[in-house]
């Protein structure tokens, strides 16, 4: 009886055959057509379309507010995302977004391995775009390999020059689009074109142009292999149920040419479907041979699946020699056991539940957040002052933030100290005797507040509470501090 196929990952040469620092080999990925290549083209078009065009999308927030849909306003300390406005003291929303992003990444890894790396990672997206330009100008894999080996001609030099020019234009617009998120996009474009934009904008465009051109044009797979920490992290997070791009060696081994394998089948001998055509290697953007098992370099883009399926169609063999699968299923087929797919399992349920919890918490917080903010700080020196009438006075600095897009009037009151008198520098007293402060639209106001007791018979430290009430809507903000006495 013939021996069962053995996993390629278990048959690799020993460490003495693999140098620790292998020299880099130029990779020439071959063009391929198929379902996964189409998915990557769609993702590329959608993500780059969003990135380049989103700064020009308008959103009417009314007067006294910018109309750019997504804007990071560093000068005013605001982040605008359509109808949401985030203030500096609400930085915890960004923390929540980072937590959500990490959890989504963990969930994607638990379901389908490095699906982020293969389809959504900016390095992958821009590298795919640069490869498309390279193929359009210089030709496919064989043409590029031939031109690099031959002596440089005027035609080849012109092609390479055009390629690098287009690469630089893509990189330049990538850097330019990034700075548009930090200022009004149409205005900044006009200022950049007339050389009236701030020097900071030109510096950042230059930095991002250089990094995009270098990483997507030259470093490419080295970023994924050496610079990015995610391959190491996801290797520690994955489990045996996660789907990965897998060479089904139970079908593919033993390998051989198409004629040889057909002859062995006619003789009743074991023959695999893999014909050693190396198409899976030729189309890989990182030069990985998926038949050697899961590797750190593999970004799980699925292009090898498309290439292998194309070959299987030509030789009239079943598709899926390379597919999203698990090592457990390969071993199960070898042993005659049924395959299992556990996408819904404790790990994925846990990640999904945490994502739902964090997302619901953030949505609830945004829905219930107040449009007025109050902070109070007690004077440190002196803590209190004796007045001529025998009373004691404490000084405070208050900061009122009006998150509305219209001017608001607020009534400031205190409680906790019987008979206390409240004065505010720059405030008004309304007909009801309330201290009223007015704050402009989307602005903050800092004011000096004086609280005086009726007499000197006051405990050494008394908790007092400041309440700020919006006279138009009734929204309130409350802050506690202390009143100091001898």
């Amino acid at each position: 009886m013939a021996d069962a196929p053995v996993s390629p990952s278990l048959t690799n040469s020993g460490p003495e055959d693999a140098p620790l620092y292998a020299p880099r080999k130029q990779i020439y990925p071959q063009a391929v057509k198929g379902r996964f290549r189409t998915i990557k083209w769609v993702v590329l078009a959608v993500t780059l379309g969003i990135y380049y065009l989103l700064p020009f999308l308008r959103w009417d927030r009314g007067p006294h507010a910018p109309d750019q849909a997504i804007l990071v306003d560093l000068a005013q300390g605001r982040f605008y995302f359509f109808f949401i406005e985030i203030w500096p003291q609400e930085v915890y929303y960004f923390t929540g977004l980072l937590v959500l992003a990490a959890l989504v990444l963990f969930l994607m890894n638990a379901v389908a391995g490095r699906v982020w790396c293969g389809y959504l990672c900016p390095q992958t997206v821009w590298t795919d775009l640069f490869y498309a330009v390279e193929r359009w100008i210089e030709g496919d894999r064989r043409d590029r390999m031939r031109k690099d080996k031959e002596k440089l001609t005027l035609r080849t030099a012109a092609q390479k020059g055009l390629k690098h020019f287009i690469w630089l234009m893509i990189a330049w617009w990538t850097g330019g689009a990034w700075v548009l998120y930090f200022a009004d996009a149409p205005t900044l474009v006009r200022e950049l074109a007339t050389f009236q934009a701030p020097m900071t904008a030109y510096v950042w465009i230059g930095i991002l142009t250089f990094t995009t051109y270098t990483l997507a044009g030259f470093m490419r797979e080295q970023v994924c292999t050496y610079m990015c920490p995610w391959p190491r992290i996801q290797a520690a997070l994955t489990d045996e149920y996660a789907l990965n791009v897998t060479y089904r060696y139970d079908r593919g081994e033993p390998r051989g040419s198409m004629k040889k394998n057909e002859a062995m089948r006619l003789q009743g001998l074991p023959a695999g479907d893999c014909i050693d055509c190396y198409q899976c290697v030729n189309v890989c953007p990182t030069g990985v041979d998926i038949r050697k098992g899961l590797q750190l370099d593999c970004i799980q883009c699925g292009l090898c699946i498309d290439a292998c399926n194309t070959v299987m169609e030509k030789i009239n063999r079943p598709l899926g020699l390379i597919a999203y699968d698990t090592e457990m299923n390969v071993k199960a087929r070898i042993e005659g056991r049924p395959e299992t797919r556990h996408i819904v399992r404790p790990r994925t349920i846990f990640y999904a539940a945490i994502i739902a919890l964090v997302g619901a918490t953030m949505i609830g917080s945004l829905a219930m957040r107040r449009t007025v903010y109050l902070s109070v700080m007690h004077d440190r020196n002196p803590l209190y002052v004796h007045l001529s009438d025998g009373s004691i006075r404490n000084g405070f600095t208050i900061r009122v933030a009006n998150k509305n897009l219209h001017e608001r009037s607020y009534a400031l009151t205190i409680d906790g100290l019987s008979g206390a008198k409240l004065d505010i520098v720059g405030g008004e007293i309304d007909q009801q005797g309330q201290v009223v402060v007015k704050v402009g639209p989307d602005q903050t106001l800092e004011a000096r507040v004086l609280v005086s007791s009726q007499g000197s018979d006051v405990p050494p430290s008394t908790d007092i509470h400041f309440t700020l009430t919006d006279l138009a809507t009734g929204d309130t903000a409350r802050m506690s501090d202390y009143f100091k006495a001898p």
Side-chain angles (χ1 to χ4, degrees), residues 36 112-115 119 243-246 248 300-302 305 322-326 341:
F36 294 99
R114 292 176 65 180
V115 65
Y119 301 91
L243 295 173
N244 289 286
V245 175
T246 303
R248 292 170 166 170
Q300 303 279 300
C301 62
I305 299 177
I322 301 176
Y324 274 96
D325 204 348
T326 66
R341 292 201 178 215

Side-chain angles (χ1 to χ4, degrees), residues 217-232:
F218 298 95
M219 299 185 69
R220 293 176 172 176
E221 78 283 350
Q222 296 178 80
V223 175
C224 305
T225 305
Y226 301 112
M227 295 176 61
C228 180
W230 179 237
R232 284 92 179 158

